[in-house]
Amino acid sequence: MRHYLQFSDLTTDEYAYLFDRASLIKKRFKAYEKHQPLVDRTLAMIFEKASTRTRVSFEAGMYQLGGSVVHLTTGDSQLGRAEPIEDSAKVISRMVDLVMIRTYEQTKLECFAQNSRVPVINGLTNEFHPCQIMADLFTFLEHRSSDKNQKININDLKGKVVAWVGDGNNMANTWLQASSIFGFKVHVCTPRGYEVDPKVAGMTSQNSFEIFRNPIKACEGADLVTTDVWTSMGFEAENEARKLAFADWCVDSKMMSSAKPDALFMHCLPAHRGEEVSAEVIDGPQSVVWDEAENRLHVQKALMEFLVLGHQ
Ligand code: CP
Ligand code: NVA
């Protein structure tokens, strides 16, 4: 049994397989062809934080695969009344085939997985957001395919430069993990006090990232510029302090113009126009944020199929 708790839980070859599979699943979806390998299987989704994309993509995705979904939140389950995670995991995993969890500390997710009889997927923790980065990489590969038939080839990521302009948060940590798996480089630029901690990210290679102090310099030569909200869920008490610290970390057209002319812009969403990104950039021609959001559906369908049934 395999879990997907952080990006490094899968190998480069497994990602290559999943991206191929996601392409096929996406083609079938667009052609209204059924792809239902998970008939009679059930996914439990546990949300301890808010969500739009993760909820819709996992729920719609599981129904499209032929299965069904149970949706739980802290407020409407015994999770919010201090039932131990171990007990919840033992019970829930006897009744379903797969569990997706969005929670706070990664340790909570790990505790659930250790006590689960079925695969567990990270739908976002304070430390990581692996499903999002899987969708982001798939989106990059679709837009930058070197193949004449637009086939996805993970080697197209090799040697590329991704500029991370923003908080050293769950998204930043996950980009760092992905860089050593796919052989691209991350230019990380955060305000002082909001740096990434390579140890938290679980980095195996020091060569795949470089720290910058100036966001414009970080964007120089980038193939992809990406950012995220200044204040992540769970950190709302720091909102005012963060607004001051991040004032110069707005991805605007000046920053984009220091990247490569064909650089893409990504944001996991939800976005705050005028804070971490200007409206001109997120709604402009280099932005691929809507493809990025849609691809959550396709890559996660491939992931769910893989975790429940293995290679097809
Ligand atoms: N990007 C993302 O995970 O969005 P939601 O918070 O809406 O799920
Ligand atoms: N870093 C953000 C991502 C939201 C999808 C958060 O954790 O709130």
Side-chain angles (χ1 to χ4, degrees), residues 47 50-57 102:
F47 284 99
S51 168
T52 297
R53 279 144 288 269
T54 304
R55 164 120 194 231
V56 177
S57 54
R102 168 168 286 196

